[in-house]
Amino acid sequence: MEKEIEELQKLIDNYENLVFFGGAGVSTESGIPDFRSVDGLYHQQYDYPPETILSHTFFMKHPEEFFQFYSKKMLYEGAEPNEAHKKLAALERAGKLKAVITQNIDNLHQMAGSKNVYELHGSVYRNYCMKCGRFYGFDTMKKAQGVPRCQCGGIIKPDVVLYEEGLDMDTLQGAVRAIERADVLIIGGTSLSVYPAASLIDYYRGKHLVLINKSATPRDSFADLLIQKPIGEVFAKIKVKGE
Ligand SMILES: [Zn+2]
């Protein structure tokens, strides 16, 4: 086993209060692309950049175009948890991992069995009518043709934090509390360039900041253990006692 992964294994074995903070890179290995990684296709297919389409103003003004993009680019069917999701869930079952904080909206941590998940940017699995508040799941949104509508006629809005919208305060506070208390903070699959990722790390007071990312991040020098590898590949080698 590589030296860095051995070190990560040691931290996992020796500490009882681990917290994981993850970004888009955790899901790309499950086949869900990062919508920010803009390719030529976007420019051919859409008149606006994804950040504009996924903004509150755009949603209110052009719901048809919003949902055209949203159902094609954000609602992935059949994506499965990868080794990172599975090992994190196993670590929670083993009483080691106290929380997963994620910027992803794809529900893959819950599908893998994680219970304490702070979804900073919401979830495509929760959707509410803007008029009567009725709840709708993933399938309704996936099946909808055009703008998804409630039985009452209202538009069904995904419980996903759009650009210009604030984060849910309870979720954010829960995430901050978990990070403050963590002995070991493992950050993975994020370039740490998107708010609030970078600022959340500042709440960590421990001595074991682990950073796992394929490419360099602006916070690499803060890491006590830096692993520049795909996160699924790293967790595949981690052993969880009792599993
Ligand atoms: Zn309704």
Side-chain angles (χ1 to χ4, degrees):
M1 213 196 296
E2 294 96 311
K3 201 170 158 275
E4 310 96 69
I5 296 174
E6 258 174 49
E7 273 182 54
L8 176 60
Q9 182 72 60
K10 252 188 233 164
L11 288 175
I12 288 172
D13 292 341
N14 292 341
Y15 289 90
E16 305 299 323
N17 189 344
L18 315 172
V19 169
F20 179 79
F21 181 102
V26 180
S27 294
T28 47
E29 285 171 67
S30 289
I32 298 180
D34 182 0
F35 73 84
R36 282 183 215 91
S37 60
V38 175
D39 54 30
L41 265 183
Y42 281 110
H43 295 297
Q44 287 165 27
Q45 276 183 311
Y46 301 94
D47 297 334
Y48 307 92
E51 287 83 356
T52 303
I53 299 175
L54 295 171
S55 71
H56 184 81
T57 306
F58 194 90
F59 172 82
M60 298 304 282
K61 266 195 198 158
H62 313 282
E64 293 83 9
E65 280 165 280
F66 172 89
F67 279 110
Q68 215 180 357
F69 178 90
Y70 179 81
S71 53
K72 226 184 220 165
K73 296 287 177 188
M74 312 296 276
L75 298 180
Y76 281 91
E77 239 171 341
E80 301 275 348
N82 61 51
E83 280 300 312
H85 299 105
K86 288 178 195 167
K87 287 286 164 67
L88 288 165
L91 285 168
E92 187 187 55
R93 281 195 295 274
K96 290 264 179 190
L97 189 83
K98 303 304 180 195
V100 168
I101 300 156
T102 182
Q103 294 175 283
N104 301 330
I105 55 176
D106 49 40
N107 203 45
L108 286 177
H109 285 293
Q110 290 91 334
M111 284 185 202
S114 286
K115 302 276 183 245
N116 195 26
V117 183
Y118 294 100
E119 297 172 305
L120 294 174
H121 293 164
S123 171
V124 297
Y125 278 68
R126 292 188 301 269
N127 307 277
Y128 297 94
C129 169
M130 292 174 78
K131 232 179 182 177
C132 74
R134 192 187 156 118
F135 173 87
Y136 289 92
F138 180 87
D139 291 344
T140 307
M141 305 305 271
K142 193 69 200 172
K143 280 188 207 136
Q145 304 283 327
V147 178
R149 296 254 174 206
C150 176
Q151 290 166 339
C152 82
I155 294 178
I156 306 171
K157 188 175 187 286
D159 188 11
V160 164
V161 180
L162 301 177
Y163 286 90
E164 305 163 354
E165 291 179 345
L167 301 188
D168 179 73
M169 281 317 283
D170 289 340
T171 307
L172 191 59
Q173 277 166 10
V176 165
R177 267 198 299 275
I179 288 174
E180 278 175 339
R181 291 176 190 155
D183 292 327
V184 180
L185 178 63
I186 305 170
I187 300 173
T190 168
S191 59
L192 289 174
S193 52
V194 183
Y195 174 84
S199 50
L200 272 176
I201 305 175
D202 296 334
Y203 289 95
Y204 178 58
R205 292 159 186 171
K207 291 190 179 73
H208 304 286
L209 180 67
V210 183
L211 201 51
I212 308 170
N213 202 49
K214 271 195 284 192
S215 51
T217 83
R219 294 297 188 101
D220 283 359
S221 60
F222 290 78
D224 300 288
L225 174 58
L226 180 67
I227 308 179
Q228 287 188 318
K229 287 196 174 74
I231 187 150
E233 207 176 282
V234 171
F235 273 102
K237 292 174 183 157
I238 292 299
K239 290 185 179 58
V240 183
K241 275 181 193 138
E243 292 278 329

